[in-house]
Amino acid sequence: DAMVIQNPRYQVTQFGKPVTLSCSQTLNHNVMYWYQQKSSQAPKLLFHYYDKDFNNEADTPDNFQSRRPNTSFCFLDIRSPGLGDAAMYLCATSRGGARETQYFGPGTRLLVL
Amino acid sequence: QQQVKQSPQSLIVQKGGISIINCAYENTAFDYFPWYQQFPGKGPALLIAIRPDVSEKKEGRFTISFNKSAKQFSLHIMDSQPGDSATYFCAASRRSSNTGKLIFGQGTTLQVKP
């Protein structure tokens, strides 16, 4: 029944070592989002795809990249993780449109050593 | 103008009491106001949402009150239960957004004491 699946649930990486987080969806939604959420803070949108169209937030560091090879999958690549990148990374999907519900995955907790 | 301001940051309520969380916005282009509930270690989930053409929406114990002229909206949780203990985020999106981009408030951590 899982609709938005994130793997892994926990990821430990070393400072500067590239890491990839994965998201898949069974909802066939047009839009996929990546959020970063730090402790006791709101989710912060990093970027999103509407189908194949990529939309980067202005304040998203270049260190963060994303790929969406098909409708179902989306990846978050952190090229050189720093200690400040330790956070929960949330993937969400929606059909698109201002009043559509966003469905969030359970998140990947990233720890940077 | 892009911000949604949420208060209080944290809230402690006794079981059976009413929890009230408030949000305010500036951008009159916002036309959809959802509330998301997040439990520890989980992703947020939509709780309830309102459009600006209605002043109140109720779903079970959860009610959104909306004041368009004041640009404020609030979540009321009636008969609060320990299972309601979670972080609540208000949000807003613009009618022009085809991607449904949400602007989140800062979040309120609710603790309901037995």
Side-chain angles (χ1 to χ4, degrees):
Chain A
D1 280 279
M3 296 183 290
V4 183
I5 303 160
Q6 291 190 244
N7 287 305
R9 295 294 312 278
Y10 300 91
Q11 177 73 58
V12 181
T13 191
Q14 292 179 335
F15 182 94
K17 185 174 181 181
V19 66
T20 295
L21 309 182
S22 167
C23 177
S24 64
Q25 55 140 336
T26 60
L27 297 163
N28 203 34
H29 281 171
N30 299 105
V31 190
M32 295 187 77
Y33 313 81
W34 278 105
Y35 290 88
Q36 179 192 66
Q37 186 177 31
K38 296 188 175 181
S39 181
S40 302
Q41 295 185 20
K44 177 182 181 298
L45 184 63
L46 296 173
F47 26 58
H48 64 275
Y49 277 93
Y50 193 115
D51 293 330
K52 291 186 179 295
D53 292 333
F54 177 71
N55 297 274
N56 199 32
E57 292 301 297
D59 58 353
T60 298
D62 292 340
N63 198 24
F64 292 86
Q65 305 283 316
S66 185
R67 297 170 283 133
R68 189 178 185 185
N70 54 52
T71 299
S72 301
F73 284 87
C74 196
F75 300 97
L76 170 62
D77 301 307
I78 308 177
R79 293 192 295 187
S80 181
L83 298 178
D85 297 328
M88 175 77 89
Y89 289 87
L90 295 163
C91 174
T93 74
S94 82
R95 287 188 284 202
R99 296 176 178 177
E100 292 293 334
T101 301
Q102 288 192 22
Y103 294 86
F104 284 81
T108 295
R109 173 74 63 186
L110 178 68
L111 180 62
V112 182
L113 301 178
Chain B
Q1 266 217 332
Q2 281 288 86
Q3 284 187 324
V4 177
K5 296 183 180 179
Q6 183 172 346
S7 63
Q9 186 175 352
S10 63
L11 183 59
I12 300 175
V13 172
Q14 290 293 128
K15 179 182 175 181
I18 302 173
S19 305
I20 301 174
I21 305 170
N22 300 299
C23 286
Y25 64 98
E26 288 294 326
N27 192 339
T28 54
F30 290 147
D31 82 331
Y32 176 66
F33 301 91
W35 285 87
Y36 280 79
Q37 180 188 53
Q38 185 177 26
F39 293 104
K42 305 286 187 183
L46 179 68
L47 183 64
I48 187 172
I50 197 168
R51 298 180 336 197
D53 52 347
V54 298
S55 60
E56 184 175 284
K57 183 173 181 181
K58 184 176 181 179
E59 290 184 2
R61 296 184 294 108
F62 301 90
T63 300
I64 301 178
S65 297
F66 187 83
N67 185 330
K68 188 174 182 178
S69 60
K71 291 185 280 188
Q72 295 175 347
F73 58 110
S74 60
L75 176 69
H76 296 235
I77 306 174
M78 312 300 287
D79 186 25
S80 299
Q81 298 297 311
D84 297 330
S85 297
T87 300
Y88 293 81
F89 293 97
C90 63
S93 69
R94 290 184 295 182
R95 67 178 75 93
S96 62
S97 171
N98 68 334
T99 60
K101 177 180 172 179
L102 292 173
I103 309 301
F104 281 98
Q106 296 88 338
T108 297
T109 301
L110 171 65
Q111 182 184 358
V112 181
K113 290 195 168 182

